[in-house]
């Protein structure tokens, strides 16, 4: 096992708001000494307090082990080229990560937001008053709705969105597993963000992960939303891995109705006409390719966490209301997942 993130950084920093699975993945792979986590704003006064005034020493660093569980053939070129080594026991590559909890927003040149969709606005409310107006903010949330809330609240700021198919999870608090290599697309959501896209892509690509600029990031977010809307609620309701939904009665009875609703909404929202059968094929291809995966929504339900249903099928219901399009299947799935 080798270490990363221990060098003391100088100069400008990349701050990560949301020290969960995805935030810890980016943090572990960004260049040493350039990155730190913003704590929950309400916890900020605890940081840096002297040990003598407290029973428990304040944690000033976030420590964990990154386990790379991605088969080398699937890993993007350059992944972990000098920071990962194979652990003799598991054959997986491990890296010890130690990164600071940031006490100040001075020198932050880029803010990555990796909270869940439902926490994003509140997390940003706490920190943005302390962050310069021209600092680019990249939103990594799945689904739709949270991005709009952010740009309506801060229309002048350079806000970008990222849509990623990287997969990361935390089987225990001190361990982060990079479970699947993917691709990340980054694009501007506000006018002032357009000039920042190339430099954000360049900085994120320093991780060795595959990162690309995207002129139409909303379209990418919609593509991911379609797949999440067609897989996640079924896995949560049936309590099964992604591939097992396909043969279930719940899925078979509802998938055509769901795809018809999404097809009409897509056209109304983005002017893109995609036939329901094409959407179904996209959903089923991903379900087959990730057959043994536990979806993020099933994982949230299993862990007793709030799911992101309001930003996936729930968002589609809201869209339907705006456009006068009936969405009974999305509504049924949203209500049933909310009731879990
Ligand atoms: P997570 O629950 O592991 O991490 C979210 C983190 O945000 C938690 O550590 C939580 O404590 C923190 N948080 C919540 N409120 C906060 C606040 N007010 N201030 C500071 N921190 C706060 O979730 P995740 O799996 O990392 O996912 C984050 C987002 O990325 C989700 O929208 C998810 O759908 C999306 N995403 C995740 C993955 C993945 O592989 N994990 C892949 C693609 C997209
Ligand atoms: O993105 C996903 C998720 O779990 O949220 C899918 C594509 C369904 C893979 O598990």
């Amino acid at each position: 096992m080798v270490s990363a993130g221990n060098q003391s950084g100088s100069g400008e920093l990349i701050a990560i708001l949301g020290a969960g699975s995805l935030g810890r993945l980016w943090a572990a792979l960004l260049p040493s000494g350039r990155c730190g986590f913003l704590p929950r704003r309400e916890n900020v006064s605890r940081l840096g307090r002297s040990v003598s005034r407290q029973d428990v020493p304040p944690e000033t660093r976030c420590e964990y082990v990154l386990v790379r569980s991605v088969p080398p053939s699937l890993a993007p070129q350059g992944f972990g080229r000098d920071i990962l080594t194979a652990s003799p026991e598991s054959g997986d590559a491990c890296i010890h990560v130690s990164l600071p909890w940031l006490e100040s927003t001075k020198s932050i040149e880029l803010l990555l937001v990796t909270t869940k969709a439902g926490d994003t606005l509140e997390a940003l409310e706490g920190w943005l008053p302390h962050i310069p107006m021209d600092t680019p903010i990249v939103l990594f949330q799945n689904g739709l709705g949270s991005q709009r809330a952010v740009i309506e609240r801060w229309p002048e700021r350079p806000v970008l969105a990222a849509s990623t198919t990287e997969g990361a999870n935390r089987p225990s608090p001190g361990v982060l597993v990079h479970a699947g290599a993917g691709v990340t697309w980054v694009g501007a959501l506000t006018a002032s963000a357009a000039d920042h896209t190339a430099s954000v892509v360049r900085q994120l690509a320093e991780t060795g992960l595959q990162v690309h600029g995207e002129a139409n990031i909303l379209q990418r977010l919609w593509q991911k939303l379609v797949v999440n809307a067609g897989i996640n609620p079924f896995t949560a309701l049936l309590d099964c891995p992604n591939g097992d939904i396909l043969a279930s009665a719940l899925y078979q009875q509802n998938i055509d109705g769901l795809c018809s609703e999404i097809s009409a909404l897509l056209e109304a929202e983005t002017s893109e006409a995609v036939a329901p059968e094409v959407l179904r094929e996209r959903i089923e291809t991903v379900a087959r390719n990730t057959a043994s995966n536990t979806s993020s929504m099933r994982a949230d339900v299993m862990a007793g966490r709030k799911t992101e249903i309001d930003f996936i099928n729930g968002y589609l219901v809201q869209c339907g209301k705006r456009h006068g399009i009936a969405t009974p299947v999305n509504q049924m799935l949203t209500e049933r997942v909310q009731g879990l």
Side-chain angles (χ1 to χ4, degrees), residues 132-249:
M133 277 303 289
D134 59 354
T135 302
I137 301 161
V138 188
L139 306 176
F140 278 83
Q141 289 62 46
N142 254 350
L144 278 165
S146 65
Q147 300 87 350
R148 184 191 292 231
V150 171
I151 62 179
E152 281 177 359
R153 175 75 181 77
W154 295 283
E156 308 299 334
R157 284 190 175 264
V159 182
L160 302 93
S163 177
T164 185
T165 55
E166 295 296 337
N169 60 69
R170 287 206 294 158
S172 62
V175 176
L176 171 76
V177 177
H178 184 200
V183 181
T184 301
W185 299 91
V186 180
L189 289 176
T190 56
S192 62
D195 290 346
H196 293 276
T197 307
S199 90
V200 169
V201 167
R202 199 172 52 247
Q203 291 181 81
L204 294 181
E206 285 183 48
T207 53
L209 302 181
Q210 275 194 53
V211 186
H212 304 286
E214 169 60 87
N216 190 349
I217 192 67
L218 266 184
Q219 192 181 33
R220 289 267 170 206
L221 292 169
W222 263 98
Q223 284 168 3
K224 185 120 196 277
L225 179 74
V226 169
V227 169
N228 289 136
I231 296 178
N232 294 21
F234 293 106
T235 61
L237 292 169
L238 297 163
D239 191 18
C240 69
N242 295 355
D244 290 7
I245 63 171
L246 298 174
S248 74

Side-chain angles (χ1 to χ4, degrees), residues 51-315:
V51 177
S52 60
R53 284 164 50 205
Q54 295 204 105
D55 297 337
V56 183
E59 284 180 13
T60 55
R61 296 188 75 81
C62 180
E63 314 252 357
Y64 54 97
V65 171
L66 165 68
V67 180
R68 173 200 169 197
S69 197
V70 179
S73 58
L74 292 181
Q77 201 189 7
F79 178 87
R81 52 199 174 279
D82 55 3
I83 54 170
L84 298 170
T85 58
S87 114
E89 307 86 50
S90 63
D92 286 333
C94 295
I95 173 175
H96 177 256
V97 184
S98 170
L99 291 164
W101 286 107
L102 300 175
E103 290 174 53
S104 133
T105 51
K106 228 171 55 196
S107 310
I108 292 180
E109 63 164 336
L110 173 62
L111 177 62
L112 309 183
V113 187
T114 51
T115 47
K116 293 273 196 187
D119 296 322
T120 300
L121 204 57
E122 189 189 327
L124 282 170
E125 289 280 3
W127 280 109
L128 282 192
H130 308 277
I131 292 180
M133 277 303 289
D134 59 354
T135 302
I137 301 161
V138 188
L139 306 176
F140 278 83
Q141 289 62 46
N142 254 350
L144 278 165
S146 65
Q147 300 87 350
R148 184 191 292 231
V150 171
I151 62 179
E152 281 177 359
R153 175 75 181 77
W154 295 283
E156 308 299 334
R157 284 190 175 264
V159 182
L160 302 93
S163 177
T164 185
T165 55
E166 295 296 337
N169 60 69
R170 287 206 294 158
S172 62
V175 176
L176 171 76
V177 177
H178 184 200
V183 181
T184 301
W185 299 91
V186 180
L189 289 176
T190 56
S192 62
D195 290 346
H196 293 276
T197 307
S199 90
V200 169
V201 167
R202 199 172 52 247
Q203 291 181 81
L204 294 181
E206 285 183 48
T207 53
L209 302 181
Q210 275 194 53
V211 186
H212 304 286
E214 169 60 87
N216 190 349
I217 192 67
L218 266 184
Q219 192 181 33
R220 289 267 170 206
L221 292 169
W222 263 98
Q223 284 168 3
K224 185 120 196 277
L225 179 74
V226 169
V227 169
N228 289 136
I231 296 178
N232 294 21
F234 293 106
T235 61
L237 292 169
L238 297 163
D239 191 18
C240 69
N242 295 355
D244 290 7
I245 63 171
L246 298 174
S248 74
L250 182 69
Y251 179 85
Q252 290 294 335
Q253 284 159 12
N254 288 292
I255 190 62
D256 286 331
L258 183 78
C259 289
S260 297
E261 291 175 19
I262 300 176
S263 172
L265 293 167
L266 248 180
E267 185 152 13
E269 278 275 307
T270 69
S271 307
E272 197 191 355
V274 188
E277 309 77 62
V278 175
L279 297 177
R280 180 171 175 168
E281 187 48 41
R282 283 185 198 167
I283 290 165
E284 296 189 352
T285 301
V286 177
R288 281 191 294 268
N289 289 344
T290 61
S292 61
N293 277 25
T294 284
S295 79
S296 55
M297 194 170 286
R298 180 184 181 217
D300 284 341
V301 172
M302 287 164 95
R305 293 186 296 255
K306 196 170 187 302
T307 71
E308 295 189 301
I309 190 75
D310 291 349
F311 300 88
I312 300 177
N313 303 83
Y315 176 81

